[in-house]
Structure formats: C-alpha cells, structure tokens
Amino acid sequence: MVHDIRPFALGLPKAELHLHLEGTLEPEMMLRLARRNGIDLPYQNVDQALAAYEFSDLQSFLDLYYAGCAALVTEDDFYDLTWAYLMRAAQENICHVEPFFDPQTHTERGVRFGTVVTGILRALEDGEERFGITSRLILALLRDRPADSALHTLEHAHRYGRHIAGVGLDSAELGHPPEKFAEVFETARMMGYRVVAHAGEEGPPSYITGALDILGAERIDHGIRCLEDPVLVKRLARDRVPLTVCPLSNVRLRVVRSLAAHPLKQMMDAGLTVTINSDDPAYFGGYLTDNYVAAAEALHLGPHELARLAEASFDASFLDADAKDQHVYAVQQYAKRHGIPLS
Ligand code: ADE
Ligand code: ZN
C-alpha cells in the first residue's frame, strides 16, 4: 500500500519527454557561469534571480529564459548544464530523456552550433555510461524567428547525423502559427528527423491541428487547449497522439488558474495519451517528480494513475519497441512491489 505519494513517484521509473535543457539552468549555475565568462546578468545573486521569476504569461518567462542563456558560452558550460540535469534525473529514477535545446538563441550571440551540441552530446553520452540514462536529443526551432533562420539551423544540424533525433518548435506561440514553418518541417522530415511541436499552450486548438497536418508532428508539446475542440480531442484520442503536459509550468505561466483547475485529469478521462513533464524546472519550481506529486495531490491521482502515466512516458518516447517493452515491464514490476497491479 502507498501512503505517501512522493517516495512512490520518486522511485517510479519514468521518461521525460518535454524538457528544455536551457530551462534547467539553476540561478547558482547561471551566476557562476556568467562570472566565469565575464557576462553581465540582470541579477547579482540567487535571491534577486528567484525574485524576478514571477511570470504573467509565456513571453514574460521567455524574456528571462533568453537573458539567462547569455551565461552559456563554452562547450564546458553546455556540458555542465546537461550533466547537472542528468545527476538530478538519476536521483529521480528518470531512465530516459528526450531533451530540447534551442541552438538559435546561442548562435545569434556568436556561440557556434558545434560548441552547443558537442557539450550537450558529451554529457548525454556520459549520462548513459554512468547512470544508464538513455536519450534522444531534439533540436527546437524558435517560432518567433524567421523561417529562414530555422532552415539555416537545420543545415548545421545535419553534420551531427543521428546524434540529433528530432526537431521541435518552441518559443512565443501566439502570432506564430505552424503554417509559418511548413517548408522547414517538410525539409526536416525529408532529412529523417522525428517531429514534435509545442502547440495549444497559449495558442488555440487550430495550432494543434496545424502542427499535426502541416508540420507532421508525431507528438504535441503541452496541447492542453485541445479540450476546447471536441472533434480534435476525438482525433487525438483515436490516433493516440501523445501530449507532453507540464503542470507546474502551466500554473507559473498562468495558462491555467491553479493546479486544482489543471485539465490533466480531464485529458486522461477523455482517453488522451498524456505524459507528465517539467518543461523548464529551474524556473517553474519543480523537476519531474515534483510535477508528478503536485498533479497527484491537486487532482487526486493515486499511485495506479501515476504508474499509468509513467508507462505512457515510455510508450510515447522515440525508443524502439523492445526498449519500450522493457521499461513498461519495469514500471509494472515497481507497481506490483507496491501492491498495485496494473494489468
Ligand atoms: N521555451 C522554453 N520553454 C517554453 C515553453 N513552455 N513554451 C514555449 N517555448 C518554450
Ligand atoms: Zn516547452
């Protein structure tokens, strides 16, 4: 029997499918790297940074997120950033991760694409060797920059071959519909990348439909506004399109009023394939386990539902079928040990 949900959620084998590596930059590391690189930040200390993390919407967060990225300059900075996340992931029994990185925000400042990606990949390789955490890296394109810039970024990525598994779309959603990137994503698909896209976070359900139909997205990041369109909900359920939901993010960016008002449970009840994720944990007050626990407490989800969400996190990943089966089996064994039969 499970009395306290936190230890159960902590030890539960999980995959994280919606995580921006730049969003794991904790204020301590941001200040340390900025000092190391001679970069000026809008904060002098951790308390000032944390005090500024009060957001009214997605854009108000992105302004600080991009400002914080200025601290990241060298290959070692990207290594350290990724490694710090992986150490936490190991402590939370995150067995597989499909992180995003935002190369344009670095190349625009004169940091080379290769510097960014090499630092990240080196840490991901070490993470697999040291902790057994597998990964599939996703290059996220900034939707509030011109499509040309995205195409140029894809050309850079090509040199890294299979080390980059997928292409995603993030940044300010409103006013930047999927149509803007039709050609870019057609190119990405032709290059063999898996495709995901943020949609329906702040943007309307039509952006989710566009992400599926125009971009060919296999997974939708956030997607919570799908509930406003019953036809779309039916389609997403029928086609088992995974939605990578981020409860603490949605509250901090005021996409939803409170955790108690979060639509996650409604989405599960509608038969949608949903997973829980942390998005930008250094900014939103919690890593993956915190998101599981917060959702469980606010929405009255029990260990059985959390285990189902963990199974879904592996099923919705880009792992091959055998690896998925092994992870799902591990979730089932874990649940069984806690007196929760899943089948
Ligand atoms: N980049 C980092 N976090 C993001 C989010 N929640 N939505 C869109 N773009 C992002
Ligand atoms: Zn995101």
Side-chain angles (χ1 to χ4, degrees):
M1 275 301 291
V2 173
H3 298 291
D4 183 358
I5 204 76
R6 179 169 285 276
F8 178 81
L10 186 70
L12 186 61
K14 303 175 281 296
E16 176 139 63
L17 306 180
H18 183 162
L19 173 93
H20 302 264
L21 283 170
E22 293 89 344
T24 69
L25 182 57
E26 291 287 342
E28 291 83 356
M29 184 182 283
M30 187 199 307
L31 290 158
R32 181 163 55 77
L33 297 185
R35 222 172 295 124
R36 184 157 103 180
N37 294 318
I39 302 285
D40 274 338
L41 287 177
Y43 336 99
Q44 302 309 313
N45 57 51
V46 171
D47 289 342
Q48 279 180 14
L50 291 176
Y53 293 177
E54 191 62 51
F55 312 114
S56 52
D57 56 11
L58 175 58
Q59 188 62 59
S60 66
F61 154 69
L62 290 170
D63 291 343
L64 294 196
Y65 168 87
Y66 293 126
C69 285
L72 298 161
V73 178
T74 67
E75 187 184 312
D76 281 349
D77 297 344
F78 289 94
Y79 180 94
D80 291 351
L81 174 76
T82 309
W83 185 249
Y85 167 74
L86 290 167
M87 285 203 297
R88 273 188 182 261
Q91 286 163 11
E92 297 193 17
N93 209 13
I94 297 172
C95 311
H96 178 70
V97 59
E98 301 192 351
F100 294 115
F101 72 117
D102 284 335
Q104 286 155 293
T105 194
H106 310 301
T107 52
E108 280 171 357
R109 298 181 286 115
V111 179
R112 294 171 67 91
F113 186 95
T115 300
V116 179
V117 81
T118 308
I120 293 171
L121 286 172
R122 200 156 48 82
L124 292 176
E125 274 166 30
D126 286 355
E128 181 156 2
E129 197 179 306
R130 172 95 174 263
F131 305 124
I133 300 175
T134 51
S135 61
R136 299 283 184 277
L137 184 60
I138 302 177
L139 183 164
L141 297 165
L142 303 184
R143 68 199 305 158
D144 51 356
R145 309 295 202 278
D148 273 358
S149 164
L151 268 180
H152 186 60
T153 304
L154 275 188
E155 283 162 21
H156 273 305
H158 204 42
R159 250 180 277 158
Y160 294 87
R162 295 291 113 201
H163 293 294
I164 297 173
V167 171
L169 187 65
D170 66 358
S171 202
E173 188 180 6
L174 286 170
H176 302 285
E179 294 86 295
K180 180 173 163 189
F181 294 93
E183 191 194 333
V184 176
F185 276 76
E186 194 187 336
T187 306
R189 289 196 313 272
M190 279 183 345
M191 289 164 95
Y193 291 111
R194 309 298 297 259
V195 167
V196 300
H198 282 55
E201 178 186 19
E202 279 191 344
S206 62
Y207 283 26
I208 301 175
T209 309
L212 298 171
D213 292 339
I214 299 167
L215 307 183
E218 301 167 62
R219 214 159 63 196
I220 298 292
D221 296 309
H222 294 293
I224 59 172
R225 286 194 61 190
C226 71
L227 290 177
E228 295 166 34
D229 180 346
V231 175
L232 175 60
V233 170
K234 274 213 179 103
R235 173 186 179 180
L236 292 168
R238 184 198 63 207
D239 296 346
R240 297 172 190 263
V241 178
L243 305 167
T244 62
V245 175
C246 309
L248 290 175
S249 163
N250 294 152
V251 174
R252 292 297 294 269
L253 300 188
R254 305 193 193 202
V255 178
V256 300
R257 246 181 314 111
S258 65
L259 273 174
H262 197 283
L264 175 78
K265 180 77 165 51
Q266 252 174 289
M267 296 169 83
M268 292 165 72
D269 292 345
L272 295 170
T273 300
V274 292
T275 67
I276 290 187
N277 306 271
S278 70
D279 206 5
D280 302 286
Y283 290 89
F284 300 149
Y287 281 76
L288 186 56
T289 301
D290 300 314
N291 275 272
Y292 272 74
V293 172
E297 288 176 353
L299 303 171
H300 312 291
L301 305 178
H304 183 272
E305 282 143 318
L306 293 197
R308 286 282 184 225
L309 286 159
E311 280 183 331
S313 73
F314 293 110
D315 268 334
S317 74
F318 292 145
L319 286 167
D320 64 33
D322 277 354
K324 285 184 188 186
D325 286 349
Q326 280 175 28
H327 286 298
V328 168
Y329 181 71
V331 172
Q332 289 169 352
Q333 292 302 104
Y334 179 86
K336 200 168 157 191
R337 283 202 302 279
H338 288 79
I340 301 144
L342 281 186
S343 41

